[in-house]
Amino acid sequence: MSDLATTQSELDAGMQKYRTELTGYCYRMLGSGFEAEDAVQETLVRAWRAYDKFEGRSSLRSWLYRIATNVCLDMLNAGKKRALPMDLTERGRQATAQLNPHPEATWLEPVPDSQILPSTADPAETAVARESVRLAFVAALQKLPAKQRAVLILREVLAWKASEVAELLNTSVASVNSALQRARATLAESPAQETDPADELDKDQQDLLRRYMDAFQGYDMKALAAVLHDDAIMTMPPFDLWLKGHDDILAFLVNQGAGCRGSKLLPTVANGTPAFAHYKPDPEGSDVMVPWALQIIETSGGRISGFHCFLDTKRWFPLFGFPEQLAKADQGE
């Protein structure tokens, strides 16, 4: 085998081995699964171009993370950051709700667990990984300057040593420790809301999700009220409206959201938490149900603490492998 073929084989094998964790790293940095994929692809291109200079003084994994970090920092140089509606506007009220859309690049995006979370047999590692990609945590990361963001992810999520992070960022250990301290202080000022991770073995959580599904599909507001926290939050990107409290949420569903009566929910997971593909009856009156939203569900203390309804289903449903429509006959399945 030629040296070029050997190089290609080694780099391809390394990228295959680390691709998912690199995508997860870039997602935490950028807040978008699509941009994370672009960043990993650019990482591969840069690695190809520079592989003849890779002398093995660090591991291939560390070298790829260095490149991926530089790619993300380049992408973040314009100062852009993604957000949830709570980061942009004041709390809305159902009676005065205004649906103001923002461009796609404004919003923190949902992502399938399979795209960003490498498989592991260690339940503790799985729990930490899921915690680090939930919407509220990634939204909090977006409030940090880019290099502080990288330091916090590498140190506290991926458990790198300060010396390893310093080498990756071409800086000192003291600078890394200082950046980590500042990042922690910023996050402490507005801590991310606690959310239970998805756990298919947790019978209580599964029971709660079934009750939520039944209540939503039956459009039973009394049953929905029973599963929602008093201060539950609902968002609907690309609109900047967000509602807090089950009174406003349920009033919105009954009035502005009346077209969702008779909906069908299909379960999935996203960002380490339970999720649903939400189909509603076709407003044109056909015999099909059409995509309406990807719902990311947050739970705590045995109740639903939030549901984020991402309405750009042309982006989300193919990514999660859901069909373009459902026959109404499927609704009873």
Side-chain angles (χ1 to χ4, degrees):
M1 182 181 291
S2 68
D3 290 342
L4 178 60
T6 301
T7 297
Q8 179 179 3
S9 177
E10 289 174 346
L11 186 54
D12 286 350
M15 285 301 298
Q16 182 66 27
K17 181 177 181 180
Y18 301 121
R19 187 177 191 98
T20 301
E21 64 174 278
L22 283 170
T23 305
Y25 173 61
C26 294
Y27 173 72
R28 296 177 184 96
M29 286 289 292
L30 302 171
S32 163
F34 293 102
E35 288 188 355
E37 287 286 354
D38 290 344
V40 171
Q41 188 60 37
E42 176 63 18
T43 297
L44 176 59
V45 171
R46 294 190 190 185
W48 260 110
R49 291 173 179 167
Y51 194 65
D52 61 338
K53 300 176 183 177
F54 175 57
E55 300 174 350
R57 286 179 293 188
S58 62
S59 68
L60 178 62
R61 178 174 180 260
S62 297
W63 185 65
L64 291 172
Y65 266 92
R66 176 194 291 267
I67 297 172
T69 299
N70 289 331
V71 170
C72 290
L73 293 177
D74 288 346
M75 294 174 72
L76 291 166
N77 270 342
K80 65 177 182 177
K81 57 183 179 181
R82 292 175 178 265
L84 291 172
M86 298 86 74
D87 304 315
L88 301 180
T89 62
E90 296 296 322
R91 170 185 177 181
R93 297 287 183 179
Q94 180 274 328
T96 57
Q98 299 290 323
L99 298 179
N100 302 309
H102 288 253
E104 170 273 321
T106 304
W107 302 113
L108 184 67
E109 296 181 344
V111 66
D113 283 11
S114 59
Q115 184 177 319
I116 57 172
L117 296 180
S119 58
T120 173
D122 187 334
E125 288 184 10
T126 299
V128 170
R130 286 175 171 170
E131 171 72 15
S132 71
V133 296
R134 61 191 180 90
L135 285 175
F137 182 76
V138 180
L141 288 176
Q142 306 305 299
K143 299 174 183 178
L144 299 175
K147 285 193 176 179
Q148 287 185 29
R149 200 181 308 177
V151 168
L152 187 133
I153 295 168
L154 290 166
R155 290 283 285 120
E156 303 225 319
V157 176
L158 301 178
W160 285 41
K161 297 177 181 177
S163 58
E164 294 172 328
V165 178
E167 181 178 358
L168 182 146
L169 294 175
N170 194 27
T171 188
S172 66
V173 170
S175 293
V176 167
N177 290 335
S178 176
L180 179 59
Q181 185 176 12
R182 294 196 302 273
R184 286 172 173 168
T186 298
L187 295 187
E189 291 175 359
S190 53
Q193 181 178 356
E194 293 295 325
T195 307
D196 297 330
D199 186 352
E200 62 184 20
L201 300 180
D202 186 327
K203 293 182 179 179
D204 290 338
Q205 185 185 74
Q206 296 307 308
D207 178 65
L208 174 64
L209 295 172
R210 281 192 294 270
R211 291 167 59 205
Y212 172 77
M213 277 184 64
D214 291 344
F216 196 96
Q217 291 178 153
Y219 233 56
D220 183 337
M221 296 301 119
K222 183 176 180 180
L224 270 176
V227 299
L228 292 178
H229 270 291
D230 292 345
D231 59 352
I233 289 174
M234 183 178 78
T235 70
M236 295 180 297
F239 301 114
D240 61 13
L241 173 71
W242 63 282
L243 301 172
K244 183 175 183 179
H246 59 52
D247 288 344
D248 268 333
I249 292 172
L250 297 180
F252 186 91
L253 292 176
V254 169
N255 293 284
Q256 294 96 325
C260 291
R261 188 179 298 274
S263 290
K264 171 71 174 179
L265 301 182
L266 301 181
T268 185
V269 288
N271 292 81
T273 57
F276 294 101
H278 174 187
Y279 293 81
K280 71 173 186 177
D282 185 357
E284 300 296 325
S286 70
D287 290 331
V288 300
M289 306 191 72
V290 296
W292 178 245
L294 179 72
Q295 294 187 9
I296 310 298
I297 305 297
E298 297 173 338
T299 69
S300 65
R303 299 172 81 181
I304 305 292
S305 56
F307 56 108
H308 303 277
C309 305
F310 292 87
L311 303 185
D312 190 358
T313 55
K314 290 183 178 179
R315 287 170 68 81
W316 311 129
F317 277 40
L319 184 65
F320 282 79
F322 287 107
E324 295 181 1
Q325 60 184 36
L326 295 177
K328 282 190 176 179
D330 294 339
Q331 187 171 1
E333 294 182 2

